[in-house]
Amino acid sequence: MTIRTPALKSRLPNVGTTIFTVMSALATEKGAVNLGQGFPDFEGDPRLVDAVTQAMKSGLNQYPPMTGVPALREAVAKKNQAIYGHTYDANTEITITAGATQAILTIILAIVHPGDEVIVLEPCYDSYVPNIELAGGVVVRVPLTPGTFRPDFGKIAAAITPKTRAILINSPHNPSGMVWTKEEMLQLQELLDPTDILVISDEVYEHMVFDGKQHESAARFPALAARSFIVSSFGKTYHVTGWKVGYVAAPAPLSAEFRKVHQFNVFTVNTPVQHGLAAYMADPKPYLELPAFYQRKRDLFREGLKKTRFKMLPGQGTYFQCVDISAVSDLNEADFCKWLTSEIGVAAIPLSAFYGNGFDQKVVRFCFAKKDETLNTALERLAQL
Protein backbone atom coordinates (compact mmCIF):
# COMPACT_ATOMS: atom_id res chain seq x y z
CA MET A 1 0.00 0.00 0.00
CA THR A 2 1.32 3.43 -0.97
CA ILE A 3 1.10 6.37 1.38
CA ARG A 4 0.32 9.16 -1.02
CA THR A 5 -1.40 12.53 -0.85
CA PRO A 6 -3.33 13.08 -4.08
CA ALA A 7 -2.41 16.18 -6.07
CA LEU A 8 -4.93 18.99 -6.28
CA LYS A 9 -5.80 21.28 -9.13
CA SER A 10 -5.72 24.66 -7.39
CA ARG A 11 -8.82 26.86 -7.40
CA LEU A 12 -6.45 29.82 -7.00
CA PRO A 13 -3.32 28.90 -8.96
CA ASN A 14 -1.98 32.46 -9.03
CA VAL A 15 -2.24 33.08 -5.30
CA GLY A 16 0.89 32.84 -3.17
CA THR A 17 2.05 34.39 0.08
CA THR A 18 0.67 37.93 0.34
CA ILE A 19 2.93 40.96 0.48
CA PHE A 20 1.48 41.76 3.91
CA THR A 21 2.74 38.45 5.31
CA VAL A 22 6.12 38.89 3.63
CA MET A 23 6.66 42.42 4.90
CA SER A 24 5.39 41.71 8.42
CA ALA A 25 7.71 38.70 8.70
CA LEU A 26 10.64 40.81 7.48
CA ALA A 27 9.75 43.59 9.93
CA THR A 28 9.79 41.08 12.80
CA GLU A 29 13.09 39.58 11.63
CA LYS A 30 14.77 43.01 11.34
CA GLY A 31 13.16 44.62 14.40
CA ALA A 32 11.59 47.25 12.15
CA VAL A 33 8.65 49.50 12.99
CA ASN A 34 5.80 47.85 11.10
CA LEU A 35 3.83 50.52 9.24
CA GLY A 36 2.96 47.99 6.56
CA GLN A 37 -0.06 45.94 7.60
CA GLY A 38 -3.20 47.93 8.36
CA PHE A 39 -4.04 47.38 12.00
CA PRO A 40 -3.69 49.51 15.16
CA ASP A 41 -1.01 48.81 17.77
CA PHE A 42 -3.23 50.30 20.48
CA GLU A 43 -6.27 48.94 22.29
CA GLY A 44 -9.93 49.73 21.74
CA ASP A 45 -12.19 51.38 24.30
CA PRO A 46 -12.25 49.43 27.62
CA ARG A 47 -16.00 50.10 27.76
CA LEU A 48 -16.46 48.00 24.64
CA VAL A 49 -14.40 45.16 26.11
CA ASP A 50 -16.46 45.41 29.29
CA ALA A 51 -19.70 45.25 27.28
CA VAL A 52 -18.56 42.05 25.56
CA THR A 53 -17.36 40.57 28.86
CA GLN A 54 -20.72 41.38 30.44
CA ALA A 55 -22.50 39.65 27.56
CA MET A 56 -20.41 36.51 28.13
CA LYS A 57 -21.05 36.57 31.88
CA SER A 58 -24.77 37.03 31.22
CA GLY A 59 -24.88 33.72 29.38
CA LEU A 60 -25.12 35.12 25.85
CA ASN A 61 -22.83 32.44 24.45
CA GLN A 62 -24.99 30.29 22.18
CA TYR A 63 -25.92 30.70 18.52
CA PRO A 64 -27.58 34.02 17.69
CA PRO A 65 -29.97 34.36 14.75
CA MET A 66 -28.30 33.60 11.44
CA THR A 67 -28.74 37.20 10.29
CA GLY A 68 -27.28 38.68 13.47
CA VAL A 69 -28.40 39.80 16.92
CA PRO A 70 -31.54 41.95 16.43
CA ALA A 71 -30.27 44.74 18.71
CA LEU A 72 -27.09 45.09 16.65
CA ARG A 73 -28.93 45.09 13.33
CA GLU A 74 -31.24 47.76 14.72
CA ALA A 75 -28.26 49.83 15.89
CA VAL A 76 -26.73 49.64 12.39
CA ALA A 77 -30.03 50.66 10.80
CA LYS A 78 -30.32 53.60 13.19
CA LYS A 79 -26.76 54.73 12.42
CA ASN A 80 -27.28 54.56 8.66
CA GLN A 81 -30.51 56.52 8.92
CA ALA A 82 -28.88 59.19 11.11
CA ILE A 83 -25.75 59.64 9.01
CA TYR A 84 -26.80 58.84 5.45
CA GLY A 85 -30.55 59.44 5.53
CA HIS A 86 -31.34 55.99 4.16
CA THR A 87 -33.73 53.62 5.91
CA TYR A 88 -32.74 49.96 5.97
CA ASP A 89 -35.10 47.41 7.49
CA ALA A 90 -33.14 45.80 10.33
CA ASN A 91 -34.96 42.49 9.81
CA THR A 92 -34.64 42.08 6.06
CA GLU A 93 -31.83 44.38 4.87
CA ILE A 94 -28.95 44.19 7.37
CA THR A 95 -26.83 41.11 8.01
CA ILE A 96 -23.99 40.79 10.53
CA THR A 97 -20.89 39.12 9.08
CA ALA A 98 -17.60 37.65 10.25
CA GLY A 99 -15.73 40.74 9.12
CA ALA A 100 -15.77 42.64 5.84
CA THR A 101 -13.60 40.18 3.92
CA GLN A 102 -16.11 37.38 4.53
CA ALA A 103 -18.90 39.77 3.61
CA ILE A 104 -17.35 40.57 0.22
CA LEU A 105 -16.68 36.91 -0.60
CA THR A 106 -20.25 36.01 0.33
CA ILE A 107 -21.70 38.81 -1.83
CA ILE A 108 -19.67 37.67 -4.82
CA LEU A 109 -20.59 34.00 -4.36
CA ALA A 110 -24.25 35.04 -4.11
CA ILE A 111 -24.42 37.16 -7.26
CA VAL A 112 -21.65 36.08 -9.65
CA HIS A 113 -22.22 33.09 -11.93
CA PRO A 114 -19.53 31.46 -14.11
CA GLY A 115 -18.66 33.79 -16.95
CA ASP A 116 -20.09 36.91 -15.33
CA GLU A 117 -17.78 39.92 -15.48
CA VAL A 118 -16.96 41.99 -12.41
CA ILE A 119 -15.21 45.35 -12.70
CA VAL A 120 -12.53 46.12 -10.11
CA LEU A 121 -10.78 49.47 -9.86
CA GLU A 122 -7.04 49.07 -9.40
CA PRO A 123 -5.17 49.39 -7.15
CA CYS A 124 -7.55 47.31 -5.05
CA TYR A 125 -7.65 45.26 -1.85
CA ASP A 126 -6.12 41.86 -2.37
CA SER A 127 -9.20 39.70 -1.68
CA TYR A 128 -11.36 41.06 -4.48
CA VAL A 129 -9.81 39.21 -7.41
CA PRO A 130 -9.52 35.76 -5.76
CA ASN A 131 -13.15 36.08 -4.61
CA ILE A 132 -14.33 36.67 -8.17
CA GLU A 133 -12.21 33.80 -9.46
CA LEU A 134 -13.62 31.42 -6.82
CA ALA A 135 -17.12 32.25 -8.09
CA GLY A 136 -16.08 31.49 -11.68
CA GLY A 137 -16.39 35.14 -12.63
CA VAL A 138 -14.19 37.12 -15.01
CA VAL A 139 -12.14 39.93 -13.49
CA VAL A 140 -12.20 43.16 -15.50
CA ARG A 141 -9.47 45.49 -14.24
CA VAL A 142 -9.93 49.23 -14.70
CA PRO A 143 -7.15 51.50 -13.40
CA LEU A 144 -7.83 54.47 -11.21
CA THR A 145 -6.03 57.57 -12.46
CA PRO A 146 -2.32 57.25 -11.53
CA GLY A 147 -1.21 59.91 -9.08
CA THR A 148 -4.67 60.99 -7.94
CA PHE A 149 -6.39 57.57 -7.86
CA ARG A 150 -9.65 59.18 -8.93
CA PRO A 151 -12.15 57.07 -10.92
CA ASP A 152 -11.92 57.40 -14.70
CA PHE A 153 -15.52 57.12 -15.88
CA GLY A 154 -14.54 56.94 -19.52
CA LYS A 155 -12.55 53.79 -18.80
CA ILE A 156 -15.26 52.38 -16.54
CA ALA A 157 -17.89 52.93 -19.25
CA ALA A 158 -15.65 51.30 -21.84
CA ALA A 159 -15.27 48.23 -19.61
CA ILE A 160 -19.03 47.61 -19.33
CA THR A 161 -20.38 44.80 -21.52
CA PRO A 162 -23.61 42.78 -21.58
CA LYS A 163 -21.79 40.28 -19.30
CA THR A 164 -20.99 42.84 -16.57
CA ARG A 165 -22.65 41.66 -13.37
CA ALA A 166 -21.14 44.00 -10.78
CA ILE A 167 -18.65 46.73 -10.06
CA LEU A 168 -16.63 46.81 -6.86
CA ILE A 169 -15.91 50.27 -5.47
CA ASN A 170 -14.01 51.27 -2.35
CA SER A 171 -14.18 54.65 -0.62
CA PRO A 172 -12.35 55.77 1.43
CA HIS A 173 -9.85 53.88 -0.68
CA ASN A 174 -7.29 51.32 0.39
CA PRO A 175 -4.41 51.70 -0.46
CA SER A 176 -4.40 55.32 -1.67
CA GLY A 177 -6.55 57.13 0.92
CA MET A 178 -8.59 58.75 -1.87
CA VAL A 179 -12.22 59.59 -1.05
CA TRP A 180 -14.94 59.62 -3.72
CA THR A 181 -16.77 62.93 -4.11
CA LYS A 182 -20.53 63.48 -4.32
CA GLU A 183 -20.11 64.35 -8.00
CA GLU A 184 -18.31 61.06 -8.68
CA MET A 185 -21.00 59.04 -6.92
CA LEU A 186 -23.67 60.84 -8.96
CA GLN A 187 -21.69 60.09 -12.10
CA LEU A 188 -21.57 56.40 -11.19
CA GLN A 189 -25.30 56.44 -10.47
CA GLU A 190 -25.99 57.95 -13.90
CA LEU A 191 -23.64 55.55 -15.69
CA LEU A 192 -25.29 52.48 -14.16
CA ASP A 193 -28.88 53.74 -14.46
CA PRO A 194 -29.73 52.02 -17.78
CA THR A 195 -28.08 48.74 -16.67
CA ASP A 196 -28.75 45.91 -14.20
CA ILE A 197 -25.20 46.09 -12.85
CA LEU A 198 -24.91 45.62 -9.10
CA VAL A 199 -22.59 47.64 -6.87
CA ILE A 200 -20.43 46.19 -4.11
CA SER A 201 -19.44 49.23 -2.06
CA ASP A 202 -16.56 48.55 0.34
CA GLU A 203 -16.95 51.26 2.97
CA VAL A 204 -14.93 49.82 5.85
CA TYR A 205 -13.15 53.17 6.40
CA GLU A 206 -16.42 55.14 6.32
CA HIS A 207 -15.66 56.96 9.59
CA MET A 208 -12.15 58.02 8.56
CA VAL A 209 -12.68 61.04 6.29
CA PHE A 210 -10.71 64.18 7.05
CA ASP A 211 -10.61 67.97 6.67
CA GLY A 212 -14.32 68.49 7.24
CA LYS A 213 -15.37 66.35 4.27
CA GLN A 214 -18.10 63.72 4.52
CA HIS A 215 -18.15 60.10 3.42
CA GLU A 216 -20.34 59.70 0.35
CA SER A 217 -21.84 56.31 1.07
CA ALA A 218 -23.75 54.58 -1.70
CA ALA A 219 -26.63 54.73 0.78
CA ARG A 220 -26.90 58.50 0.23
CA PHE A 221 -27.93 58.03 -3.41
CA PRO A 222 -31.31 56.32 -3.85
CA ALA A 223 -30.66 54.82 -7.28
CA LEU A 224 -27.28 53.49 -6.13
CA ALA A 225 -28.63 52.21 -2.81
CA ALA A 226 -31.27 50.22 -4.72
CA ARG A 227 -28.55 48.19 -6.46
CA SER A 228 -25.82 48.18 -3.80
CA PHE A 229 -24.41 45.87 -1.19
CA ILE A 230 -22.74 48.16 1.35
CA VAL A 231 -20.00 46.62 3.48
CA SER A 232 -18.61 48.02 6.72
CA SER A 233 -16.40 46.87 9.59
CA PHE A 234 -16.77 47.22 13.35
CA GLY A 235 -13.16 46.10 13.66
CA LYS A 236 -11.87 49.10 11.70
CA THR A 237 -14.20 51.58 13.39
CA TYR A 238 -13.58 50.46 16.98
CA HIS A 239 -9.86 49.47 16.82
CA VAL A 240 -10.60 45.74 17.26
CA THR A 241 -9.64 44.27 13.89
CA GLY A 242 -9.07 40.82 15.41
CA TRP A 243 -12.71 40.48 16.39
CA LYS A 244 -13.64 40.13 12.70
CA VAL A 245 -17.20 41.46 12.81
CA GLY A 246 -18.80 43.56 10.07
CA TYR A 247 -22.08 43.94 8.27
CA VAL A 248 -23.77 44.15 4.90
CA ALA A 249 -26.65 46.52 4.16
CA ALA A 250 -28.62 45.86 0.98
CA PRO A 251 -32.21 45.96 -0.32
CA ALA A 252 -34.32 43.00 0.80
CA PRO A 253 -34.18 41.03 -2.49
CA LEU A 254 -30.38 41.33 -2.57
CA SER A 255 -30.06 40.54 1.14
CA ALA A 256 -32.19 37.42 0.69
CA GLU A 257 -29.73 36.01 -1.84
CA PHE A 258 -26.76 37.11 0.26
CA ARG A 259 -28.18 35.31 3.30
CA LYS A 260 -28.58 32.04 1.38
CA VAL A 261 -24.80 31.90 0.96
CA HIS A 262 -24.01 33.43 4.37
CA GLN A 263 -26.04 30.68 6.03
CA PHE A 264 -23.80 27.98 4.62
CA ASN A 265 -20.60 29.99 4.76
CA VAL A 266 -20.31 31.00 8.42
CA PHE A 267 -23.99 30.53 9.43
CA THR A 268 -23.67 33.01 12.25
CA VAL A 269 -21.26 35.34 14.03
CA ASN A 270 -19.76 35.58 17.53
CA THR A 271 -22.69 36.11 19.91
CA PRO A 272 -21.22 38.03 22.90
CA VAL A 273 -19.28 40.39 20.63
CA GLN A 274 -22.50 41.23 18.79
CA HIS A 275 -24.31 41.99 22.04
CA GLY A 276 -21.36 44.05 23.27
CA LEU A 277 -21.26 46.07 20.06
CA ALA A 278 -25.00 46.67 20.20
CA ALA A 279 -24.73 48.06 23.73
CA TYR A 280 -21.68 50.17 22.84
CA MET A 281 -23.35 51.67 19.74
CA ALA A 282 -25.97 53.33 21.94
CA ASP A 283 -23.39 56.10 22.21
CA PRO A 284 -22.54 57.48 18.72
CA LYS A 285 -19.57 59.53 19.96
CA PRO A 286 -16.89 56.88 19.28
CA TYR A 287 -17.59 56.77 15.54
CA LEU A 288 -18.51 60.44 15.27
CA GLU A 289 -15.18 61.41 16.85
CA LEU A 290 -13.12 58.96 14.81
CA PRO A 291 -12.32 61.39 11.95
CA ALA A 292 -10.68 63.84 14.36
CA PHE A 293 -8.84 61.01 16.13
CA TYR A 294 -7.22 59.76 12.94
CA GLN A 295 -6.77 63.19 11.38
CA ARG A 296 -4.53 64.13 14.31
CA LYS A 297 -2.43 61.02 13.68
CA ARG A 298 -2.34 61.74 9.95
CA ASP A 299 -1.17 65.29 10.60
CA LEU A 300 1.49 64.16 13.06
CA PHE A 301 2.79 61.64 10.53
CA ARG A 302 2.69 64.05 7.59
CA GLU A 303 4.50 66.73 9.60
CA GLY A 304 7.31 64.26 10.31
CA LEU A 305 7.47 63.16 6.67
CA LYS A 306 8.30 66.76 5.70
CA LYS A 307 11.79 66.05 7.05
CA THR A 308 12.28 63.36 4.39
CA ARG A 309 12.61 63.49 0.61
CA PHE A 310 9.36 61.61 0.13
CA LYS A 311 6.66 63.38 -1.86
CA MET A 312 3.41 62.98 0.05
CA LEU A 313 0.23 62.14 -1.83
CA PRO A 314 -3.07 63.56 -0.53
CA GLY A 315 -4.40 61.74 2.54
CA GLN A 316 -8.16 62.30 2.38
CA GLY A 317 -9.29 59.26 4.36
CA THR A 318 -8.47 55.81 5.80
CA TYR A 319 -5.44 55.37 8.06
CA PHE A 320 -2.98 55.06 5.19
CA GLN A 321 -0.49 57.59 3.81
CA CYS A 322 1.06 57.06 0.40
CA VAL A 323 4.36 58.62 -0.67
CA ASP A 324 6.27 58.91 -3.92
CA ILE A 325 9.78 57.49 -3.49
CA SER A 326 11.24 58.83 -6.76
CA ALA A 327 13.51 61.39 -5.06
CA VAL A 328 14.75 58.83 -2.53
CA SER A 329 15.58 55.72 -4.55
CA ASP A 330 15.86 54.18 -8.02
CA LEU A 331 14.65 50.82 -6.71
CA ASN A 332 11.28 49.46 -7.69
CA GLU A 333 8.56 49.64 -5.03
CA ALA A 334 8.90 46.08 -3.75
CA ASP A 335 12.69 46.17 -3.49
CA PHE A 336 12.54 49.61 -1.89
CA CYS A 337 10.16 48.34 0.80
CA LYS A 338 12.49 45.43 1.56
CA TRP A 339 15.47 47.81 1.70
CA LEU A 340 13.57 50.28 3.89
CA THR A 341 12.62 47.52 6.32
CA SER A 342 16.09 45.97 6.47
CA GLU A 343 18.29 49.08 6.41
CA ILE A 344 16.17 51.90 7.84
CA GLY A 345 13.97 49.85 10.14
CA VAL A 346 10.51 50.87 8.90
CA ALA A 347 8.17 48.54 6.99
CA ALA A 348 5.89 49.79 4.21
CA ILE A 349 3.83 48.17 1.45
CA PRO A 350 4.44 48.66 -2.31
CA LEU A 351 1.40 49.82 -4.26
CA SER A 352 2.40 47.48 -7.08
CA ALA A 353 1.09 44.64 -4.87
CA PHE A 354 -2.43 45.99 -5.38
CA TYR A 355 -2.27 45.70 -9.21
CA GLY A 356 -2.71 42.53 -11.22
CA ASN A 357 0.14 43.47 -13.55
CA GLY A 358 2.41 44.78 -10.78
CA PHE A 359 2.20 48.35 -12.12
CA ASP A 360 5.04 50.27 -10.48
CA GLN A 361 4.58 54.04 -10.08
CA LYS A 362 7.23 54.55 -7.35
CA VAL A 363 4.62 54.82 -4.59
CA VAL A 364 4.51 53.00 -1.24
CA ARG A 365 1.94 52.93 1.56
CA PHE A 366 2.41 53.54 5.29
CA CYS A 367 -0.18 52.83 7.99
CA PHE A 368 -0.49 55.52 10.68
CA ALA A 369 -2.99 53.66 12.90
CA LYS A 370 -0.29 53.46 15.55
CA LYS A 371 0.56 54.90 18.95
CA ASP A 372 2.22 58.32 18.77
CA GLU A 373 5.44 56.84 20.12
CA THR A 374 5.41 54.22 17.35
CA LEU A 375 4.94 56.90 14.71
CA ASN A 376 7.63 59.11 16.24
CA THR A 377 10.11 56.22 16.29
CA ALA A 378 9.35 55.49 12.63
CA LEU A 379 9.68 59.18 11.71
CA GLU A 380 13.06 59.46 13.46
CA ARG A 381 14.31 56.59 11.30
CA LEU A 382 12.73 57.92 8.12
CA ALA A 383 14.36 61.31 8.73
CA GLN A 384 17.60 59.68 7.50
CA LEU A 385 16.01 59.86 4.05
Side-chain angles (χ1 to χ4, degrees):
M1 183 177 291
T2 333
I3 299 173
R4 179 177 60 88
T5 302
L8 287 176
K9 182 179 179 182
S10 177
R11 293 293 307 276
L12 295 171
N14 300 317
V15 172
T17 305
T18 71
I19 189 66
F20 307 104
T21 301
V22 170
M23 295 310 303
S24 289
L26 186 61
T28 300
E29 177 190 337
K30 301 295 183 180
V33 178
N34 189 356
L35 302 188
Q37 205 162 356
F39 59 85
D41 69 345
F42 48 85
E43 294 301 317
D45 189 338
R47 292 181 301 154
L48 176 55
V49 176
D50 290 344
V52 174
T53 302
Q54 183 58 44
M56 290 182 186
K57 289 182 176 179
S58 299
L60 298 169
N61 299 301
Q62 305 308 323
Y63 292 134
M66 179 268 288
T67 56
V69 167
L72 183 55
R73 286 186 277 116
E74 288 162 8
V76 170
K78 182 179 178 182
K79 185 198 80 166
N80 278 285
Q81 173 63 46
I83 298 180
Y84 305 127
H86 187 85
T87 301
Y88 286 102
D89 186 297
N91 291 320
T92 61
E93 299 185 320
I94 291 170
T95 309
I96 306 303
T97 63
T101 301
Q102 179 256 318
I104 293 169
L105 172 62
T106 303
I107 294 165
I108 290 170
L109 291 175
I111 67 173
V112 176
H113 295 257
D116 285 349
E117 295 176 354
V118 181
I119 294 172
V120 299
L121 307 178
E122 289 190 314
C124 64
Y125 182 59
D126 64 347
S127 82
Y128 297 171
V129 168
N131 289 179
I132 296 163
E133 292 173 345
L134 283 171
V138 177
V139 179
V140 178
R141 303 172 188 270
V142 175
L144 296 167
T145 305
T148 65
F149 301 99
R150 307 230 65 88
D152 184 325
F153 287 97
K155 290 182 178 177
I156 294 171
I160 292 174
T161 76
K163 292 184 178 180
T164 305
R165 188 72 185 111
I167 180 170
L168 226 162
I169 66 172
N170 173 210
S171 178
H173 182 249
N174 176 18
S176 74
M178 176 271 293
V179 175
W180 281 49
T181 64
K182 178 180 180 180
E183 291 70 30
E184 287 164 342
M185 295 298 285
L186 288 170
Q187 207 167 341
L188 179 66
Q189 184 173 247
E190 184 178 356
L191 176 65
L192 299 182
D193 184 58
T195 77
D196 287 329
I197 295 170
L198 297 168
V199 176
I200 305 167
S201 188
D202 180 351
E203 303 184 15
V204 298
Y205 300 101
E206 61 176 319
H207 299 298
M208 301 172 206
V209 177
F210 310 136
D211 303 318
K213 303 268 183 2
Q214 70 175 14
H215 168 56
E216 299 294 350
S217 171
R220 290 190 190 275
F221 305 89
L224 278 181
R227 64 173 74 228
S228 292
F229 295 88
I230 295 173
V231 180
S232 192
S233 164
F234 298 108
K236 294 287 195 299
T237 298
Y238 293 132
H239 318 306
V240 285
T241 58
W243 289 9
K244 295 299 292 176
V245 182
Y247 67 83
V248 169
L254 302 184
S255 288
E257 290 303 310
F258 172 84
R259 289 171 173 184
K260 289 179 184 179
V261 178
H262 175 78
Q263 178 171 242
F264 298 108
N265 183 346
V266 295
F267 174 53
T268 190
V269 176
N270 189 304
T271 302
V273 166
Q274 288 195 61
H275 282 284
L277 285 165
Y280 188 69
M281 284 186 74
D283 179 7
K285 283 179 63 177
Y287 60 78
L288 293 177
E289 294 176 351
L290 198 63
F293 174 84
Y294 273 122
Q295 182 170 331
R296 189 191 65 78
K297 288 190 176 292
R298 181 204 65 171
D299 292 348
L300 182 155
F301 192 56
R302 286 176 66 90
E303 190 62 30
L305 287 176
K306 290 178 182 177
K307 299 175 184 176
T308 74
R309 288 178 292 145
F310 289 130
K311 177 186 175 184
M312 285 181 278
L313 277 64
Q316 301 169 326
T318 76
Y319 46 50
F320 300 116
Q321 175 65 53
C322 288
V323 299
D324 186 313
I325 64 171
S326 300
V328 177
S329 174
D330 293 327
L331 294 171
N332 64 42
E333 293 171 4
D335 287 343
F336 176 80
C337 286
K338 291 173 184 174
W339 173 84
L340 189 71
T341 304
S342 300
E343 302 301 323
I344 304 300
V346 179
I349 297 291
L351 251 66
S352 55
F354 296 85
Y355 288 89
N357 63 0
F359 174 53
D360 193 306
Q361 54 199 309
K362 306 286 279 184
V363 174
V364 305
R365 188 198 79 178
F366 293 110
C367 172
F368 56 80
K370 308 296 176 183
K371 298 173 186 173
D372 288 3
E373 52 264 42
T374 304
L375 294 176
N376 286 327
T377 299
L379 289 167
E380 287 171 10
R381 298 179 182 185
L382 293 172
Q384 301 174 53
L385 305 174

